[in-house]
Amino acid sequence: MDHGLQHRKKLAAMHRIQSAALDLFEEQGFDEVAIEAVAAAAEVSPRTVYRYFGSKEMLVIWDDEDELDPGALNAEFGGDDPIAALREALRAGFAALGEDDLLLIRRRVTLIYRYPAIEAAMILHGYEKSRAIAAAVGGEDAFEVQVFVHAFVGGVLAAMRDWCAAGFSTPPFELVDRALTLLEHGFTRKRATPS
Amino acid sequence: MDHGLQHRKKLAAMHRIQSAALDLFEEQGFDEVAIEAVAAAAEVSPRTVYRYFGSKEMLVIWDDEDELDPGALNAEFGGDDPIAALREALRAGFAALGEDDLLLIRRRVTLIYRYPAIEAAMILHGYEKSRAIAAAVGGEDAFEVQVFVHAFVGGVLAAMRDWCAAGFSTPPFELVDRALTLLEHGFTRKRATPS
DNA sequence: ACCAGTATAGGCAGTCACTGCCAAATGGCA
DNA sequence: TGCCATTTGGCAGTGACTGCCTATACTGGT
């Protein structure tokens, strides 16, 4: 959006702050680290940390890549098969991640599932974003769309939890894809065709 | 579980505290009411409020009916068609609610969706309970079960949100049932058969 | 009814997340 | 370089939440 010098400095500071925060949280635990310590480690004032992130949990949750744009969303998911579009968007999104990005995400996910307070904030964040997507896409059948996006967020959360619990051994897109397929086809057939 | 005098007094106090809290939150707003005010209105000490409820959000979320018992759950949902069992349990649960219970639930739901902080705590609570259920039921196909319960919580949340947004005009079981049916049969067919 | 022993409530003091408010500094621009 | 808009930092305050200790109320046996 904005590419002025101020904005770039702000983003750099946010990355520095987040990095310092993750280091400290991993070392000493989320509850044991005060914002003041994070601010000191990142060489900014505590007040600035709050201005940038708004809450302690956001230090872990924040991701600079997920700014969304309702117009583009409607173009992307407004077609005949929005689930296929969603799957494709997810595949592209995961494929675009470099090794560094993935490493950072793993650190964040680990912390998110270690501390329920962070998880709660994360879930709410996910729901708010998906409701925005649903509002941009959904027309008549609002109820179905709402149920789907909430269920999808739940599914992604379950997939992420599984990914983390299994030591990040499975490629993450594969898990999300399996979850999405379950939502797509329903949960009935599962019992009829055991492995 | 325990039916001693202490336990009954504690439950009575919890109901009194929750009732006072809902009154105050509705009148003045969740953020504007301090725990101290709730404690004063319910004639207990603030320390006791924390001991009973653990957090301010729990004053709204808490429901005395949802104590769960892993053994019974396994017996109930361990059969061939756990989704049908779940639907039947939901139907029975909603049918068992009296007019008073329903009124209380409406007040709580209204507050939950008015204040994101409460919603976040509620969602997390729902996930934790459903993971407990899933652990009690699920065997081999843990991933599918986990995805289902998370999606189901999301679906119920969407249904509750819809219920609240529509002024509680639809019977709640009907909405939950529709959400469950969507999960059961999948979201593909929706686009193929417009209303 | 009484008297241990035990569980529970209340009070106190402290920590820390988070928020306005105002002054200082810093980038944007003529 | 000098002016203006935005941003940062410090300060003080509020309130959620937590140990710790004492007082009180319940419980089970006599």
Side-chain angles (χ1 to χ4, degrees), chain A residues 20-170:
Chain A
L22 294 182
D23 287 344
L24 290 169
F25 293 161
E26 285 167 355
E27 277 173 36
Q28 308 170 26
F30 184 72
D31 301 317
E32 280 64 40
V33 175
I35 292 281
E36 199 173 341
V38 175
E43 294 180 307
V44 290
S45 79
R47 196 68 188 78
T48 299
V49 174
Y50 281 112
R51 246 195 282 268
Y52 283 178
F53 291 93
S55 77
K56 193 178 180 184
E57 288 80 26
M58 270 296 162
L59 285 168
V60 182
I61 294 167
W62 177 74
D63 190 322
D64 61 342
E65 321 233 357
D66 58 21
E67 314 293 332
L68 46 75
D69 164 4
L73 283 173
N74 203 340
E76 188 162 13
F77 297 114
D80 276 354
D81 195 346
I83 295 182
L86 175 60
R87 173 176 278 118
E88 208 42 53
L90 287 169
R91 186 200 306 278
F94 277 109
L97 293 174
E99 196 54 46
D100 297 348
D101 301 313
L102 221 49
L103 217 58
L104 181 62
I105 291 178
R106 286 185 196 179
R107 296 179 68 191
R108 289 166 49 214
V109 168
T110 304
L111 283 168
I112 286 169
Y113 287 121
R114 173 138 58 203
Y115 297 99
I118 314 181
E119 190 183 359
M122 162 83 185
I123 292 165
L124 196 62
H125 190 241
Y127 276 174
E128 271 161 13
K129 300 199 80 156
S130 4
R131 273 198 289 272
I133 295 177
V137 172
E140 357 286 299
D141 34 23
F143 184 78
E144 277 78 6
V145 174
Q146 291 289 342
V147 170
F148 174 74
V149 296
H150 281 76
F152 173 67
V153 171
V156 170
L157 249 26
M160 273 177 51
R161 175 173 283 272
D162 199 87
W163 185 43
C164 180
F168 306 106
S169 54
T170 317

Side-chain angles (χ1 to χ4, degrees), chain B residues 2-19:
Chain B
D2 191 352
H3 283 269
L5 184 91
Q6 292 190 139
H7 197 243
R8 267 180 288 125
K9 282 183 74 171
K10 175 174 173 176
L11 277 183
M14 286 180 82
H15 279 116
R16 202 173 62 242
I17 295 168
Q18 185 179 53
S19 176

Side-chain angles (χ1 to χ4, degrees), chain B residues 55-135:
Chain B
S55 77
K56 192 178 180 184
E57 290 79 26
M58 269 297 163
L59 286 168
V60 181
I61 294 167
W62 177 74
D63 189 323
D64 61 340
E65 321 233 357
D66 56 22
E67 314 293 332
L68 45 76
D69 163 5
L73 282 173
N74 204 339
E76 186 162 15
F77 297 114
D80 277 353
D81 195 346
I83 295 183
L86 176 59
R87 173 176 278 117
E88 208 40 55
L90 286 169
R91 185 199 308 276
F94 277 110
L97 294 173
E99 196 55 45
D100 298 346
D101 302 313
L102 223 49
L103 217 57
L104 181 62
I105 291 178
R106 287 183 195 181
R107 296 179 69 190
R108 288 166 50 215
V109 168
T110 304
L111 283 167
I112 286 169
Y113 288 122
R114 173 137 60 202
Y115 297 99
I118 313 179
E119 190 184 358
M122 162 83 186
I123 293 166
L124 197 62
H125 190 242
Y127 278 175
E128 271 160 13
K129 300 200 79 157
S130 4
R131 273 198 290 272
I133 296 177

Side-chain angles (χ1 to χ4, degrees), chain B residues 6 45 47-48 51-52:
Chain B
Q6 292 190 139
S45 78
R47 196 68 187 80
T48 298
R51 247 194 283 268
Y52 283 179

